[in-house]
Amino acid sequence: MNDLVRQHTALSDSDLEWLHLLVSEWQLLSDLSFADLVLWVPTLDGTRYVSVAQMRPNTGPTSYQDDMVGHLVPRGRRPMLDSALDEGRIVREGDPEWREEVPVRVESIPVRREGRVLGVIARNTNLLTVRTPSRLELTYLQSASDLAQMIAAGTFPFPGQQVDMDASPRAGDGLIRLDADGVVQYASPNALSAYHRLGLAADLVGHHLGQATAELAPARGPVDEALVKLASGWAPREFEVEGNDGVIQLRAIPLKPKGTHIGSLVLLRDVTELRRRERELITKDATIREIHHRVKNNLQTVAALLRLQSRRMESARGREALDEAVRRVGSIAIVHETLSQTLDERVEFDEIADRVLAMVAEIAPGKVTPRRTGRFGILDAEVATPLSMVLTEVLQNALEHAFDQEQHGTVEVAAVRGGSRSEPRLLVTVQDNGRGLPEGFDPHRAGNLGLQIVRTLVEGELGGTFDMVRRPENGTQVLLDIPVRAEKQQKQH
């Protein structure tokens, strides 16, 4: 809609924002009308109309099989659009149109904002299945008529009340029509069922909805007065009520078709099961985070015990082995600490990589500077934990063996997300400018524990590849190629 409005019309950004607000609401108008809606806006030169948005009803058959958005029609071809735009009134006169052997009733509703008509809504009703309307359908149609008059008067939608169409109740979820005093004139079967879930034993019709709702909700003192006001429909609000182990979501829409408050429309939905599942997920997430927190604490305790043992060792090789074990345990603890602060089993690995770099840098001889380039991105815990250990081993190996005691140098960790959308991969390079590999060194057969850990984790647990080569100029380069899941897929998970 933004592109069409800016390309073909003279509407301002504030006018466009009003149209967005209208479009966020008009599924309700379409459902209540049992009709398709098409929003037409006059072009910059005033000779044509461009359709910038379209909505089909959930409550009846469509009048348009094709997408109308982007269509241009000359002024004069559809006289009802001209009349609604020029006269600023709802136009209903005229015989039904026939489209592919289907009779369609066409109406035009001007869209007004601050006294100006921005465009026209064409409301098209498929008459093929018309029958004697029920009380529910009559209430729908009357409510649709009131909302249409408010749109024509510029009093609907409500400024500052952007609606989430996916989260808000819809007409089919449950509908209650109130009079000007907040007394229920009509309640749909779904609405009545939702109130029965709250503990209502009687019918709603004839009762004051605000008072009935407050009686069903737990006593909250002064809050009850606000609840009575909200459920009476005096202001456009969305809220929830909980009682008798049930939860309903309500949305109040005041009706002022001619500037005077004549009543309200209350849409509601039973969200008991949805809220129960949300609470279960919150409890589950909290439990998982607590487990990660305790694992981290336990690992840190193990690291502290190993550090104490290292200080009591007389053998230099023994102390060195225990210090390496401390760093290995520490790298795993970092991952669990990060997981204890997130809402899922995924982590931003860049932070972990930086902390591993800082931890391993403590053993760097001389003035060796570790640094990171590129981005690891978001990784699953099942990838992050072994990868943190691999990174620890590779960095530790580089800092211990690549440089002399007083030698200056750098160790760089570079990360790149590659591969395809279906098979994304993480490419990690760790390189130094030290002395390089000795002649005849084979990283795939080397027997030291660190490289054995790297090979096992990369090739066995992560399903990737590992290689270590001499750099052409000087130093060593470690190459890791690891399959990962795409971030989009992770978010959907």
Side-chain angles (χ1 to χ4, degrees), residues 306-327 400:
L306 291 173
R307 202 173 289 114
L308 286 173
Q309 186 67 39
S310 172
R311 292 171 184 165
R312 296 174 180 271
M313 291 286 291
E314 296 181 0
S315 167
R317 293 189 62 183
R319 285 196 302 273
E320 182 180 336
L322 288 175
D323 290 341
E324 287 181 0
V326 167
R327 286 188 287 274
E400 285 184 350

Side-chain angles (χ1 to χ4, degrees), residues 412-457:
E412 179 180 331
V413 177
V416 177
R417 298 296 282 260
S420 62
R421 291 176 62 89
S422 59
E423 297 182 357
R425 306 187 72 83
L426 175 64
L427 309 176
V428 182
T429 304
V430 181
Q431 59 186 17
D432 62 70
N433 58 356
R435 63 170 64 96
L437 296 174
E439 290 294 334
F441 179 82
D442 184 355
H444 300 286
R445 295 181 178 275
N448 73 70
L449 179 60
L451 288 181
Q452 287 182 19
I453 291 174
V454 170
R455 288 197 300 267
T456 300
L457 293 177

Side-chain angles (χ1 to χ4, degrees), residues 18 22 25 28 112 147 150-151 153-158 251 253:
W18 182 261
L22 172 66
E25 292 275 20
L28 173 61
R112 191 183 302 273
L147 289 177
M150 292 170 65
I151 291 173
T155 56
F156 186 81
F158 304 109
R251 183 189 174 207
I253 303 173

Side-chain angles (χ1 to χ4, degrees), residues 360-370 399-400 405:
V360 178
E362 296 176 0
I363 67 167
K367 297 182 179 179
V368 179
T369 304
L399 293 172
E400 285 184 350
Q405 193 65 32

